[in-house]
Amino acid sequence: MELDARKLGILKAIIDEYILSASPVGSRSISKHEGFSLSSATIRNEMADLEELGYLEQPHTSAGRVPSDKAYRLYVDQMMQKATLSDDEVKLIRAHMSAKLDEVETVMQQTAHALSAVTHYTAMVMSPMLAANRLRHIQIVPLREGRALVVIVTTAGFARDAVIRVPEEITTSELERISRMLTERFYDCRMDHIAERVSREMAGELSDRKAFLCSIVEAIERKIEPETQNVQLSGATNILHYPEYSDVNKAKSFLAAVEGRSLLYDLLKRASKLEFSITIGAENQDELLKDCSIVTATYQIGDEPLGSFGIIGPTRMNYGKVISVLEFMRMSLSEIMTNELDDE
Amino acid sequence: MELDARKLGILKAIIDEYILSASPVGSRSISKHEGFSLSSATIRNEMADLEELGYLEQPHTSAGRVPSDKAYRLYVDQMMQKATLSDDEVKLIRAHMSAKLDEVETVMQQTAHALSAVTHYTAMVMSPMLAANRLRHIQIVPLREGRALVVIVTTAGFARDAVIRVPEEITTSELERISRMLTERFYDCRMDHIAERVSREMAGELSDRKAFLCSIVEAIERKIEPETQNVQLSGATNILHYPEYSDVNKAKSFLAAVEGRSLLYDLLKRASKLEFSITIGAENQDELLKDCSIVTATYQIGDEPLGSFGIIGPTRMNYGKVISVLEFMRMSLSEIMTNELDDE
DNA sequence: GTTAGCACTCGACAAAATAGAGTGCTAACA
DNA sequence: TGTTAGCACTCTATTTTGTCGAGTGCTAAC
């Protein structure tokens, strides 16, 4: 049995309908669907075939049909039409993104807000990975006896900081000297190469300060990786609007999975290797996300991917719209990262 | 009619019972309560009195009684016993707080996690207000044509950054000079006095750089205030465990209120004026929190209050326990802020 | 002042009845 | 051979009805 054009058409109609209504689609509603002039009986036959082929499922004997993950996959790969954003949607996004964006975290947060506001799903945005950024400045600021703050600034305007211990005998002016030395020496060095270069090039010099230098390098390495806490989340409660989560327990487990952002962090990190990715239902590794779909995109500075962001919602997701929104956002985020970040 | 000792005792028993069970308390269960040797009929009479006095409410004629906000207020002010933390609870908190705390945001986040884990309510923690901190360092790092990053470090080890515009004609070495000058000049100055001092003291000098200085000062002022995004939230989904939120719509409106953290931010900011505060049900300004109680405490560095944190849960909250936990946390947070923050 | 007794109220829950949407199959039709 | 009308059947969701039990307020007696 093959998937001929008619079967495809019917399947698409079923999926479109189900995405809207969230309730099993019956043969009658498809036969009344414009474009088909077939009776419900014929549709029923086709639906039975589609079920046998694994594209449809039946919750119980006398219910309509529901698309399977396999059907969504086909839909996304071959049948879906991308939506174009309405003026209002574009306006809504711009409104979010025109807030005072003078810090990266603010951008991430506004992005998440915009995404969840436009799509009505849950949005997640991962902070940039700094690995491919280049060093602009290192400053070690003494705080109180034995403690100092290392501050690192990168090309794209990201600052990271960490408290470190300072051996008693190192003076303030020496800290200043070390700051300057590190900045000069490693100016424009890729962040993820600093550790290696320090240990290679500085083996001989400053040998009495070795342990201290190590602790600085360690702090830098830690800060290159974005952390779990740096996943911005927005609209987690949106899923409560969808009937598939009207059961409190389902909602609870979804929200709990999402609230501990480490799951999302792993997900986004993996996704940051691909410009776009769509994962449908059981394609998700994680048990808790088996009836969600996740759509992600990366943002970049110039050509260098910095991080990723995405949408998480029921498998019955408006894929066309979501993808358009992510494409739009990807552009505007990359643009902001590359050019616009400032205090106006 | 007066609140005599017996009425008080009965009221306390009812509240204690209701906090545990969440279901209306009947006269019989109180009369069987150890310590009273009264029949249920007598208790009923007393309960009728307590209702008339406004301490109890009846969901419907043939149900037991439920404590009113007024009752909780009395309970909190006069009758409640503080709980002592169990060893396990202390261990749980310590486990959270012994993670790698090399950055303030991490501390805030771990605090929120610990609070929600121990209390099973929703925890919120506000980032420090930097107003009372003193300046340690200002660094202006040029990024690309026309943009630079201002980084500010304060005594307690907080770093903030903001992208600013730089007029074309200002060179890198001049930025370095300005950084050094500002750092030297305002070293140890209270953060909230910098703006004023700059405009007062620097009126004469550097007059050709006035606009630029202003933009720096503005950026600093903005960063002194913690922002909405700097409210760490944890355990929002905990409320789903409580029967008062088994209705999806109630849960939805609670979660939505909490997710947009600006409400909590306002709340915590107001609360940062008092060492502890307890707000019960309708005492809350906000309509959405009318059937929640909020308990907050401040943390400080030395004697200077930095910010506040707290718990939000149903009015039927285990106040005794929550207060003990907050007291404990207040101590340990203030201690960490004052001494311990480092990279071990 | 306290208590036993009793009629009454009301919600929670379960069982039964009903309606309706949808199916699969069969037989007839083009 | 593909399409369609018709029909019996299945299954869920909803409504209705009945029952149970917890709890109350009131009264009269102790």
Side-chain angles (χ1 to χ4, degrees), chain B residues 82-86 89-90 93 111 114-121 123 276 295 297 309 311 318-333:
Chain B
K82 261 184 226 164
T84 44
L85 299 192
S86 73
E89 289 168 337
V90 172
I93 295 179
T111 305
L115 283 173
S116 69
V118 175
T119 60
H120 305 295
Y121 299 116
F276 289 95
V295 187
F309 60 100
I311 287 292
N318 189 336
Y319 293 96
K321 167 115 169 258
V322 166
I323 289 172
S324 309
V325 173
L326 290 194
E327 273 177 0
F328 184 88
M329 213 61 199
R330 175 178 146 79
M331 296 290 292
S332 88
L333 197 50

Side-chain angles (χ1 to χ4, degrees), chain A residues 115-159:
Chain A
L115 283 174
S116 69
V118 175
T119 62
H120 306 296
Y121 300 116
T122 302
M124 49 192 181
V125 181
M126 163 189 156
S127 288
M129 303 177 291
L130 299 188
N133 257 256
R134 287 166 191 282
L135 182 75
R136 269 293 143 103
H137 196 93
I138 291 185
Q139 188 76 40
I140 307 168
V141 182
L143 294 175
R144 46 182 186 275
E145 339 66 67
R147 294 284 192 290
L149 194 74
V150 189
V151 181
I152 312 147
V153 177
T154 76
T155 344
F158 304 130

